[in-house]
Structure formats: C-alpha cells, structure tokens
Amino acid sequence: MWDCAIIGGGPAGLTAATYLGRFKRDIVLIDAGESRLKRIPKSRNVPGFPDGITGGELLARMQDQASRYGALFLAGEVQAIKRGAEGFGLRLEHDTIDARTVLIATGAKLVEPELAELDAALARGLIRYCPICDGYEAQDKNIAVLGGRPGAIAEAHFLRTYSDRVSYFWQDDAMPTAAELKAAREHGIRVAQGPVGALKIGDQVEITSGRARETFDVLYPCLGCDPQSALTRDLGADHASEGGVRVGAHMETSIAGLFAAGDVLQGLDQIASACGQAAIAAVAIHNRLKA
Ligand SMILES: Cc1cc2nc3c(=O)[nH]c(=O)nc-3n(C[C@H](O)[C@H](O)[C@H](O)COP(=O)(O)OP(=O)(O)OC[C@H]3O[C@@H](n4cnc5c(N)ncnc54)[C@H](O)[C@@H]3O)c2cc1C
C-alpha cells in the first residue's frame, strides 16, 4: 500500500513527487510518457529561466529532481481506478497498485490540424498553440488564427495585444456568430468569409479559403484541448461541462483522497499553474495521510 500514487509525469505530477518525496512519503509515479512539455521548442515564461528553456530540458530536470527524493517511476498507462476500503486500487496493463491517496495529473490533449510537417512547423515558430505562452514572440507579425470550436475567436482578440494584423479563419462547423463577427470588426480582426480550405507549410503558412490564398508569419490553431479526465469520470468525480476535473481549494476532487492538478483541471493550462496546484495538492495529501 503506497502513501500516494501519482498518475502523470508532467510538471504537475513531477512537482507533487518532489514535494511528497521531501515529506518522506512512499510514492509511485506512473507515466505514459506524453507530457505536453515535449512539444515546447522553447518556453520563455517559466519563472527562473530568463533565457528560456526547451520543454525537453525542463522535463529532464524535473524528473531528476523528483527521483532524488525517492519517487519510484513506472512507465505505463493507468487503465482504471477502483475505490477500496483503505484507498484506491489502480489497474495497469500488467500490474495493479494500491495506494491510500491518488493524484491525477494526466494533462490535456490538443486537437491538432492534419499537417505532415507539423512538428517542424512548431520548431520553426510557424505554428504556435498558446498565445498566453508565446504571443509575445509573435509581436507585429501577420497572424492567422484557425477556429474549430465555439468561442475560438477569443484567441484572435487576445492576439490583438501583440499585432495589428490578425486574421480569423474557421472550420466548417465553427462559423462565427453575428455577435462575434461584429465584435471582431470593432476590434480590427479580419474574418474569412467562408470556411478554411487547405493549409500548407512553406517559408510561411499558406491558407486557402474560397478562392483566396494568403500567407502568414504564424498560425495559431484553436481546435480544442481535451482534459484527460476519463479515470476520474469513471470514478464518478465532479467535472466542469467543458470536461476538466473540479477540485476544491486544496485540489481534492469530490471523492475523498482523490486529488488532481495541472491541465486536467478546468482552467489555465500553464506550467507555472500546474506546479502551483501540485504543490498545494502535495501538502494536502501529506496532511490527510498524517490525520
Ligand atoms: C506547443 C506547446 C507550447 C507550450 N508552451 C508553454 C509555455 O511556453 N509556457 C507554459 O507555461 N506552458 C506551455 N505549454 C503548456 C504546458 O506544456 C502544459 O500546461 C503543461 O505541460 C501541463 O502539465 P501537466 O503536468 O498538467 O500535463 P502534461 O505535461 O501533459 O503531463 C501529463 C502526463 O500524464 C500522462 N498520462 C495521461 N494519462 C495517463 C494515464 N492514464 N496513465 C499514466 N499516465 C498518463 C501523459 O502521458 C503525460 O506524460 C505549451 C504546450 C504546448 C503543446
């Protein structure tokens, strides 16, 4: 029986592992190895790294830090969680694990455009996913936003902080409403008249809509981001309508002993907030185990 099983080895899970290890708790961290950190060419808003840091380097440093305090790392996917008399039972492909408490730090999954050159375009800064993270780097550029879900046009509004040239494109099922079109006009956002056709990566991003073909310095796809909350959903924990896990002030879900932190929650998907939430959760888990 472990004190805590942490599911997910991104910034949230690894921060909690470091804290709980330093509280001398027996912890196991199970990770499927798909942290969104791996996709970040360079992040410049992580506190303490004024010259920026690649997501891969940050992940390696956080893994090193957590392992120094005794976290046991298991590679794999947790397939189901069951409630038991003393805590929880986790089912992995070839194993089961019992733990008094569980921290869900499974992150979220982006809906991405279908483009063969996607990773190269990310590395070149032609495609970006998060204006809060890197809108600063897109300053004064000719920016396109591609909306694929209701309300996606809000991302174009945010990007007006950085550039006068912001155009909004939309997929078939995400046509802006009349009110959104009016607000976009008032805020100097150009909106494509018909749905987007083809996307192509060359020296720039080429977008076809109707008969028009235009090029842009950077494209922000805004097609959706799904919290990976199947495990907590199956257990019957409360969720927001958008899919994220709901937690209280100490990051405990509606199920006692089951905590959550990071992008799996409804809220700001950022490294700093994932780490902060995990720190709060780790202290609450430690206090609960003491009690
Ligand atoms: C291109 C890009 C650029 C970004 N730039 C920035 C930036 O500059 N600054 C910033 O603050 N944020 C940035 N972000 C967002 C940042 O990466 C996330 O907010 C952060 O990684 C969230 O941490 P997390 O621990 O919640 O989830 P993640 O880092 O996604 O980790 C979740 C982990 O859980 C694992 N997992 C999921 N389900 C299971 C399961 N059932 N069993 C076992 N393991 C499981 C996954 O495989 C994964 O390893 C960026 C994201 C992207 C994609």
Side-chain angles (χ1 to χ4, degrees):
M1 179 65 88
W2 295 86
D3 285 335
C4 181
I6 299 171
I7 308 177
L14 291 168
T15 300
T18 297
Y19 273 63
L20 286 164
R22 290 173 57 82
F23 299 152
K24 304 188 80 68
R25 290 293 174 191
D26 290 329
I27 47 167
V28 57
L29 184 150
I30 309 109
D31 184 35
E34 296 292 331
S35 169
R36 290 217 282 153
L37 277 193
K38 290 183 172 175
R39 311 287 310 280
I40 307 179
K42 194 169 243 191
S43 174
R44 292 184 170 80
N45 70 352
V46 180
F49 295 95
D51 295 323
I53 182 164
T54 67
E57 169 72 12
L58 183 62
L59 190 63
R61 285 180 183 225
M62 294 185 85
Q63 285 167 343
D64 178 29
Q65 193 173 9
S67 65
R68 290 187 196 197
Y69 299 104
L72 175 76
F73 290 93
L74 288 183
E77 191 180 332
V78 175
Q79 297 176 337
I81 309 176
K82 258 193 349 213
R83 278 199 257 189
E86 280 187 70
F88 300 89
L90 277 53
R91 180 161 52 76
L92 283 70
E93 196 184 357
H94 300 296
D95 212 350
T96 54
I97 287 172
D98 292 321
R100 290 191 176 83
T101 59
V102 171
L103 174 70
I104 305 285
T106 44
K109 212 173 207 137
L110 279 171
V111 180
E112 300 192 71
E114 283 176 26
L115 272 174
E117 321 83 339
L118 193 58
D119 283 341
L122 257 182
R124 290 166 63 200
L126 290 175
I127 293 207
R128 296 179 180 275
Y129 282 114
C130 169
I132 291 176
C133 309
D134 54 24
Y136 191 91
E137 275 66 47
Q139 262 176 95
D140 299 326
K141 300 213 163 160
N142 189 14
I143 301 174
V145 175
L146 173 60
R149 60 171 171 78
I153 201 166
E155 197 147 313
H157 283 271
F158 182 83
L159 281 159
R160 285 285 287 110
T161 311
Y162 299 108
S163 177
D164 292 338
R165 292 177 294 160
V166 177
S167 302
Y168 184 72
F169 293 85
W170 43 277
Q171 290 183 329
D172 268 334
D173 46 357
M175 184 177 169
T177 62
E180 285 174 336
L181 286 172
K182 181 168 175 283
R185 257 197 314 275
E186 285 166 6
H187 290 92
I189 297 162
R190 198 173 60 89
V191 179
Q193 299 201 328
V196 76
L199 288 181
K200 221 169 111 190
I201 303 292
D203 289 339
Q204 290 184 301
V205 183
E206 190 181 288
I207 303 181
T208 310
S209 170
R211 287 207 202 137
R213 193 163 46 178
E214 298 174 77
T215 53
F216 293 88
D217 301 322
V218 51
L219 168 68
Y220 279 87
C222 186
L223 307 179
C225 187
D226 301 322
Q228 297 298 289
S229 54
L231 293 170
T232 44
R233 196 174 289 285
D234 289 349
L235 266 180
D238 284 351
H239 289 75
S241 54
E242 298 91 334
V245 185
R246 273 196 216 279
V247 289
H250 298 287
M251 302 297 138
E252 197 164 19
T253 68
S254 56
I255 295 174
L258 182 73
F259 294 77
D263 287 1
V264 73
L265 304 184
Q266 206 60 50
L268 186 64
D269 289 354
Q270 288 284 282
I271 297 163
S273 48
C275 296
Q277 291 155 359
I280 294 169
V283 173
I285 289 169
H286 179 58
N287 287 339
R288 182 183 168 85
L289 290 165
K290 262 196 312 190

